[in-house]
Amino acid sequence: GQEVAVGTVVAQDRQGAVPVFRAQIFAQFGALGQQGFARIVGEFVGRGGAGAQDYPSRSVRIIVPFSAGGAVDGPTRAVAQELGKRLGQSFVVENRPGATGTIGQATVQALLSHGHEVVCVVRQIPQRLMPKPHETGSVASPALIWHIADPLHPPMNSEDAPFDQPLDAIVSCMASRSGMPKDAWAVDCQAHLDWLAWAKSKGVKQFVVLSAICVQKPKLAFQHAKLAFEKALIDSGLNYSIVRPTAFYKSLSGQVARVQQGKPFLVFGRGDLTACKPIADEDLGEYMALCLIDVHKHRAILPIGGPGHAITPLAQADMLFELISKPPKVRHVPLVLLDIIIASLRFLGFFSRQWSDKAELACIGRYYATESMLLWDSQKQAYDEEATPTFGQRTLRDHYLKLLDGEAK
C-alpha cells in the first residue's frame, strides 16, 4: 500500500552544463502523519459525549487517501462496519489514493529549485506534479524525469537507467502509512536497510533520511523501527543526516473545516498538555535539500521545527476562531476515555489480531495526545521549547489563512 518515490539527483552549475555531484533520493508521496490520528480519535470520542444522540443523522463518508486493500484501508473498513452497527448509520469508505505525500513532493521541488536533476521512481505520478503542456516552473522542468517501478526495493539490475550512473547520496522521505508494527518494520526499517545496503554496494557516500522527533521517547512500534534504521545508518560509515521534524501543518489542519461549520475544536484534557513547533512542507523540503551540501548538517541528528513559539492545541483553537472572527468554542475530551478504549481493545486482542491492531492505533493517538513534539531534555526530564531548532519563514497562521481562503488543501 505504499506510494513512495525514488529518484536520482544530479547537481549542476547555474548554466546546467557541468554535473557537480549525483545523489539518489527517495520522496514519499502519501505518508500518513501519525500525529493526525489523535484528532481522528478525538473526533469519534467527542461524538460519544454530549450531543451524541443526534449524531450521525445521515450516512458518513470516510475518505481514505490510499489505495483499496492497503494497510490503512483494511482497518478503516473494519472500524466503519463496527461504527455502522453501533450508531445505526451507514459508514462509507471511499479510497482517494495520492491525496497526501506533500512532504516528498516539496522535497522534489526544493531539489529542482537548487538546480538538481531529479529522477523519481514511483508507482504512479502524483496528480499535482503531472506536467502540463507548455507549463513552466519546477514541476515541468526538463530536469524532472519519472520512472515507474516499485520504490520499496532497490533495483535488481543496477545496469538499467537511471541506476547505471554513479550516485553519491540517497535522500529518503519514505515512511510507513499506518504506523502499525508490520507496516513500520517493513518500511521504516527494512526497506531503508535494503536501500542502505544497495547504496554501499554502489559506492554511495551520503544518506539523508527523514525521521521523526517523537523517536526520542520511543513507546510505539514505528518509533523503534525508525531508531533501528537510524542506528544502522550511523554505524554504516556513510556521511549521514537524520532529520527529525517536530510536526507538520497538515497534521494540525484537520479541524479547520469543522470550525468553519460552527463545530467545536476538539482537545484532549485541558488542551495545553502538549506543544509543538510545526514546519511547513515547503520549508522542510528545503531543509532536506540543504542537507546534501551543508557540512554542518553532515553526520548529525537534526531536530527541526518551524518559525515562532511552540503552540498548544488550545492556542491553535484560539487562532482559528480569531481568524474566522468567532468566539472560541472548544470541546474537552477526557484522556481516561482513551485509556478505557486502549484497555478494552487490548483485551479483545487476545482473541483477534484485528483488535490488537486497533489497540496499537489507539496507543498512537494517546501518544500524540500526551507528548509534546519538541526537543526532549533528558537531564531535566522535560521538553525544551527554546532548545528546539527552527527553520523557514512560513507560519501556521499563514497556512490557516490560506486554508480558510481556499488557497491550500
Side-chain angles (χ1 to χ4, degrees):
Q2 308 304 313
E3 290 182 12
V4 294
V6 185
T8 304
V9 181
V10 182
Q12 298 180 325
D13 63 6
R14 294 248 177 216
Q15 288 72 38
V18 183
V20 182
F21 71 96
R22 293 178 179 270
Q24 171 82 13
I25 65 163
F26 291 97
Q28 179 194 12
F29 295 123
L32 173 66
Q34 287 95 353
Q35 198 162 354
F37 186 81
R39 177 189 60 78
I40 297 172
V41 173
E43 178 77 14
F44 285 110
V45 172
R47 298 292 191 184
Q53 65 274 12
D54 57 6
Y55 179 84
S57 59
R58 55 184 178 180
S59 63
V60 178
R61 182 174 55 172
I62 302 176
I63 304 298
V64 179
F66 317 119
S67 301
V72 176
D73 180 63
T76 302
R77 291 182 182 275
V79 171
Q81 184 178 6
E82 186 64 26
L83 287 170
K85 291 178 181 178
R86 296 193 179 196
L87 299 179
Q89 277 290 352
S90 174
F91 281 73
V92 180
V93 177
E94 179 178 337
N95 297 90
R96 292 186 185 175
T100 56
T102 53
I103 297 169
Q105 296 177 33
T107 301
V108 169
Q109 296 193 24
L111 290 162
L112 289 169
S113 70
H114 281 243
H116 303 312
E117 180 181 279
V118 183
V119 178
C120 290
V121 181
V122 292
R123 288 194 175 94
Q124 62 182 24
I125 301 175
Q127 190 64 36
R128 62 178 286 189
L129 289 188
M130 278 278 199
K132 300 177 178 59
H134 312 297
E135 181 182 31
T136 59
S138 61
V139 296
S141 168
L144 178 59
I145 303 172
W146 298 104
H147 183 74
I148 308 301
D150 181 2
L152 287 183
H153 306 286
M156 296 294 292
N157 187 358
S158 296
E159 300 305 316
D160 293 340
F163 304 105
D164 57 342
Q165 300 297 317
L167 306 171
D168 289 332
I170 291 179
V171 180
S172 171
C173 299
M174 185 164 59
S176 60
R177 297 275 193 173
S178 65
M180 300 300 295
K182 183 178 179 180
D183 193 25
W185 284 102
V187 180
D188 296 318
C189 184
Q190 190 57 54
H192 279 93
L193 288 175
D194 291 344
W195 277 101
L196 178 60
W198 181 87
K200 294 177 69 175
S201 72
K202 289 279 292 182
V204 174
K205 303 298 184 183
Q206 187 177 6
F207 202 120
V208 180
V209 64
L210 182 65
S211 185
I213 201 167
C214 62
V215 301
Q216 60 190 342
K217 288 187 69 178
K219 298 181 180 180
L220 304 166
F222 80 88
Q223 297 166 332
H224 289 288
K226 287 180 180 294
L227 284 173
F229 175 70
E230 285 188 10
K231 184 178 186 304
L233 178 58
I234 293 172
D235 294 340
S236 69
L238 269 63
N239 182 6
Y240 65 88
S241 299
I242 298 171
V243 181
R244 293 179 174 178
T246 58
F248 313 122
Y249 287 175
K250 64 182 180 182
S251 60
L252 303 183
S253 303
Q255 298 196 60
V256 173
R258 62 175 287 119
V259 167
Q260 286 180 293
Q261 296 166 5
K263 300 175 182 178
F265 191 98
L266 300 171
V267 299
F268 288 106
R270 300 186 309 271
D272 58 359
L273 295 174
T274 64
C276 64
K277 287 184 174 181
I279 185 169
D281 292 345
E282 297 86 350
D283 289 333
L284 183 55
E286 176 70 13
Y287 191 86
M288 294 287 290
L290 288 175
C291 286
L292 290 175
I293 57 176
D294 186 348
V295 295
H296 299 293
K297 295 179 175 59
H298 294 173
R299 299 189 181 278
I301 294 176
L302 304 163
I304 192 66
H309 296 292
I311 187 169
T312 66
L314 198 59
Q316 294 169 37
D318 290 339
M319 181 188 297
L320 266 177
F321 282 104
E322 176 194 343
L323 292 175
I324 63 174
S325 301
K326 292 183 179 180
K329 185 163 55 173
V330 178
R331 175 177 291 172
H332 297 263
V333 180
L335 278 170
V336 67
L337 291 181
L338 275 179
D339 295 331
I340 294 172
I341 291 172
I342 292 170
S344 301
L345 292 174
R346 281 178 171 169
F347 174 75
L348 294 172
F350 287 110
F351 308 101
S352 172
R353 174 61 183 271
Q354 70 171 347
W355 294 108
S356 295
D357 290 343
K358 293 174 184 178
E360 181 70 14
L361 287 173
C363 287
I364 292 174
R366 195 188 191 287
Y367 185 95
Y368 285 110
T370 56
E371 299 287 347
S372 290
M373 297 298 107
L374 299 170
L375 192 66
W376 175 253
D377 188 323
S378 58
Q379 292 187 337
K380 298 179 180 178
Q381 289 293 292
Y383 289 104
D384 192 335
E385 173 186 356
E386 297 300 322
T388 305
T390 61
F391 179 83
Q393 302 295 325
R394 299 169 178 86
T395 66
L396 181 62
R397 185 183 184 87
D398 293 336
H399 178 70
Y400 280 163
L401 281 171
K402 289 183 178 180
L403 284 175
L404 294 170
D405 292 338
E407 298 178 12
K409 297 181 179 180

